Amino acid sequence: MTQVDVTIALVAIATACTIMMIGLGFLPFPGRAAAIWSSGFALAMLSCYLLVVADQLASSFLRAAAHGPILCASAFVWVGLRARRGREPIMLVPTIVVFSALAIVLGLAAESGAYGTVLRISFTVAAVVAALTAGELLRLRKPEREMSLPLLVVSLGFIGLAALVVVDGVVRLAQGAGAQTEADMTALYSLNELVALVYLVCAVVTLLYLARRGSQNVDPRQGLDFFGIARDRLARAKAAEDRWWSILDVRLDDPGELLEASSGRAFQRVTARFAQDIRDVMPPEADIHAVSATQVLVLLPRPDTAVRGLLSRLLDRIGTLTDQQAVPVRLSASIGVAAAPLADWDLDRLRAAASDAAAHAQVSGGDRWERAVFAP
């Protein structure tokens, strides 16, 4: 297979991966991480097309500079993983600045003997980012870590390739043949492009899965803690004949329409405000669990009159328009309320009843709360 054949195959794979990442990842599941990963695939695709154009124009400058975007694309994987984990800063701007500078220097050095050294420095920087990517992948939850294996393996493989490239440069330098122009490096390009092809395929498999899984900000152990604590509290309340406990099922109204009317980042701000409004209104002794970004369970120890007051305050707060609101529409929520004594303080029955009441509130137009009705 000639280098041109490898480049054309790489163009086809990069284009397909970009379409899949945007069409199957970002558009149906918009978010900051998915947007960054989609941009990375678009950068890789751009780099591949630049390689084809460079071959047609026989431009060593363009061919050399084209390696910058594809190395930056691999760095975007790490940036997106940081964004998904909720780390701040996510290092997006420094990544763009560093790899843009490397692309410019690669292009300017194409005809000089320093090109080989600059390329090896670029590979070293990209290998460091690949190591950081591997570290982020190892931090994932167990099911996600298993699905991240393709990207983890290829990231480690890229580190190995970069090490070989650097060792080759050291050996050449020791032999007095360290100066290499872009034309002298063509023998390495086919291998690099094959590695890039494998990297793109492995990356799209893992990143599509992660994009469709959503954010990693919520620890699943919190759910286990909530249900364990809630069962214990209700059991002790039953033993003490404490009647003033309720389960609330709070749901943001029309989440699908809000998502369609906003960008992924704006929708994240909407759901973040929704969660914060609940935390601000509920008393400190309430236990709160996010079932999803648009549904929250609350175990509330309050008498009936106090519950009604809190629910009114919460609906008013969620519906209040602010100057900084991400989506310029009035938000609303539907709430189902299940009083503990009516279900014999049984958490599962309370959750089911509150869920039915919340669903009924939504069907009835939303922006209201409904009390659960238990069959005798």
Side-chain angles (χ1 to χ4, degrees):
M1 181 179 287
T2 67
Q3 183 183 333
V4 174
D5 294 331
V6 176
T7 304
I8 295 301
L10 183 59
V11 167
I13 293 296
T15 303
C17 289
T18 303
I19 292 171
M20 286 189 289
M21 189 67 223
I22 295 174
L24 301 178
F26 175 69
L27 292 180
F29 298 92
R32 184 162 62 160
I36 292 169
W37 292 330
S38 298
S39 300
F41 279 101
L43 270 177
M45 182 177 67
L46 171 65
S47 182
C48 296
Y49 280 102
L50 288 177
L51 288 173
V52 173
V53 173
D55 288 335
Q56 296 298 315
L57 299 178
S59 171
S60 59
F61 166 81
L62 189 57
R63 187 161 44 241
H67 289 82
I70 199 165
L71 292 176
C72 185
S74 66
F76 271 33
V77 174
W78 169 63
V79 174
L81 288 170
R82 285 178 62 85
R84 183 175 186 269
R85 192 157 64 92
R87 291 294 304 274
E88 293 291 348
I90 61 173
M91 306 301 288
L92 178 61
V93 174
T95 297
I96 295 173
V97 170
V98 168
F99 284 94
S100 296
L102 288 174
I104 294 170
V105 174
L106 282 168
L108 295 176
E111 300 293 338
S112 72
Y115 177 78
T117 301
V118 175
L119 182 64
R120 289 178 174 88
I121 291 173
S122 302
F123 264 82
T124 302
V125 174
V128 171
V129 177
L132 294 172
T133 298
E136 289 292 335
L137 293 172
L138 291 173
R139 290 174 177 266
L140 295 173
R141 307 163 190 160
K142 186 177 179 181
E144 296 175 344
R145 194 162 60 244
E146 293 172 352
M147 283 298 297
S148 72
L149 188 60
L151 182 55
L152 178 60
V153 170
V154 80
S155 295
L156 296 176
F158 182 82
I159 297 171
L161 173 65
L164 290 176
V165 171
V166 172
V167 168
D168 175 69
V170 173
V171 170
R172 285 180 174 275
L173 186 63
Q175 294 174 346
Q180 289 177 288
T181 65
E182 190 276 334
D184 297 328
M185 304 289 290
T186 53
L188 186 64
Y189 287 167
S190 293
L191 176 61
N192 290 347
E193 291 177 7
L194 281 173
V195 171
L197 191 152
V198 175
Y199 189 97
L200 286 170
V201 173
C202 293
V204 78
V205 170
T206 295
L207 299 181
L208 267 180
Y209 173 79
L210 294 179
R212 296 174 73 89
R213 290 274 295 184
S215 173
Q216 197 188 2
N217 290 340
V218 179
D219 189 338
R221 291 174 297 182
Q222 293 178 358
L224 298 176
D225 292 343
F226 171 83
F227 294 119
I229 291 171
R231 292 183 198 282
D232 178 66
R233 292 193 195 282
L234 290 172
R236 289 188 286 119
K238 180 179 180 181
E241 296 186 355
D242 184 350
R243 303 178 55 84
W244 307 124
W245 289 82
S246 301
I247 283 284
L248 313 181
D249 188 326
V250 188
R251 304 182 182 186
L252 187 65
D253 288 332
D254 304 316
E257 288 78 357
L258 289 172
L259 181 56
E260 290 178 0
S262 63
S263 65
R265 185 62 178 154
F267 184 71
Q268 284 185 338
R269 292 199 296 270
V270 167
T271 55
R273 180 199 154 182
F274 169 69
Q276 190 60 47
D277 285 343
I278 295 173
R279 297 188 67 85
D280 290 343
V281 170
M282 291 297 134
E285 59 270 27
D287 295 298
I288 300 174
H289 168 60
V291 178
S292 68
T294 59
Q295 181 184 6
V296 175
L297 290 178
V298 181
L299 177 62
L300 182 62
R302 281 289 190 276
D304 185 62
T305 52
V307 170
R308 290 199 298 268
L310 287 170
L311 296 182
S312 297
R313 282 179 53 201
L314 179 58
L315 291 175
D316 288 343
R317 186 182 182 96
I318 292 173
T320 300
L321 286 168
T322 65
D323 294 337
Q324 294 81 28
Q325 191 159 314
V327 181
V329 297
R330 183 181 183 277
L331 304 178
S332 65
S334 296
I335 308 173
V337 185
L342 297 180
D344 197 30
W345 289 267
D346 183 276
L347 179 61
D348 294 330
R349 289 180 60 196
L350 287 170
R351 285 182 61 200
S355 176
D356 290 343
H360 185 267
Q362 286 186 320
V363 170
S364 301
D367 195 21
R368 67 184 67 199
W369 60 274
E370 295 279 352
R371 190 172 296 281
V373 177
F374 293 87

